[in-house]
Amino acid sequence: MGAASGQPGRYQRSTSGMVGALLATLLVIGAFVAFRACNRTDLQVEPDHVDYLAQVGFAQQAGDRVVYPASLPGGWYATQLAVDPGQPTELRLSMLTGENDYVGFVQSPDSAPVLLTRYVDAAPVSGGPADVPGAVDGEVTRWNVWTDDGGDTALVARHGAETLLVFGTASRAQLEQLAGSLTTARR
């Protein structure tokens, strides 16, 4: 007797058995996921704290001429540092303030419009000049200020053939404080 006689064949019985097994497997997986969700504690992920000064020292030993903050304001910490070696060197430093505001610093051969578009906004608004005494060992004192609609502020200056960009959600005063601490001193 088979499918031609109107009675279930061997393939129909095995298909319904496979469907039942699949449903049972899905039920077990769903119960496991629900159990884990109920017993899970909230995970708190903290950003990494990076010793950027040690990495700056390594870059200098490799022959790179880097601009970097001599120190960070109280409560701030570095979360990431990337150095692309070569002449000119490109450096990107990410930081968080004590209030968890983001601050970034970039040293790059790219132009100010390129960096502003990449890191701040496609159409930032000029906020005029800012005088920051002592920046880059006293070599850079005049910075241009830029803002965007999202609350970001950026300070931009030229240092030789490179562009320096200090930007983030921190206050302008905090960004100027960081810009004033920039140096090229050997570590």
Side-chain angles (χ1 to χ4, degrees):
M1 297 242 189
S5 65
Q7 293 191 358
R10 125 177 130 191
Y11 296 115
Q12 289 174 335
R13 279 189 297 238
S14 68
T15 302
S16 63
M18 286 176 36
V19 169
L22 179 61
L23 289 175
T25 302
L26 290 175
L27 188 62
V28 168
I29 291 171
F32 176 75
V33 169
F35 174 76
R36 290 289 296 149
C38 291
N39 292 317
R40 181 177 172 182
T41 59
D42 289 334
L43 296 177
Q44 195 133 41
V45 178
E46 294 292 325
D48 289 335
H49 290 238
V50 175
D51 184 0
Y52 78 97
L53 291 174
Q55 293 182 33
V56 163
F58 295 139
Q60 289 175 330
Q61 288 174 4
D64 295 316
R65 186 171 187 270
V66 295
V67 176
Y68 65 95
S71 63
L72 298 181
W76 290 34
Y77 60 95
T79 60
Q80 183 178 29
L81 176 75
V83 178
D84 296 336
Q87 298 302 326
T89 300
E90 184 162 341
L91 179 139
R92 294 174 305 283
L93 176 62
S94 295
M95 296 155 280
L96 288 176
T97 68
E99 297 82 33
N100 283 327
D101 287 320
Y102 175 79
V103 177
F105 169 68
V106 177
Q107 168 192 358
S108 175
D110 292 336
S111 68
V114 168
L115 294 180
L116 286 166
T117 300
R118 184 179 305 148
Y119 295 104
V120 180
D121 193 88
V125 177
S126 176
D131 291 324
V132 179
V136 194
D137 310 316
E139 295 175 20
V140 178
T141 57
R142 188 76 161 193
W143 295 74
N144 294 313
V145 180
W146 296 85
T147 59
D148 71 4
D149 292 336
D152 293 326
T153 301
L155 306 175
V156 181
R158 293 293 291 172
H159 179 252
E162 299 171 327
T163 303
L164 305 177
L165 174 69
V166 177
F167 65 101
T169 57
S171 70
R172 176 176 167 175
Q174 289 175 305
L175 298 178
E176 288 179 7
Q177 180 183 6
L178 184 74
S181 76
L182 295 175
T183 185
T184 58
R186 297 285 302 171
R187 297 266 334 133

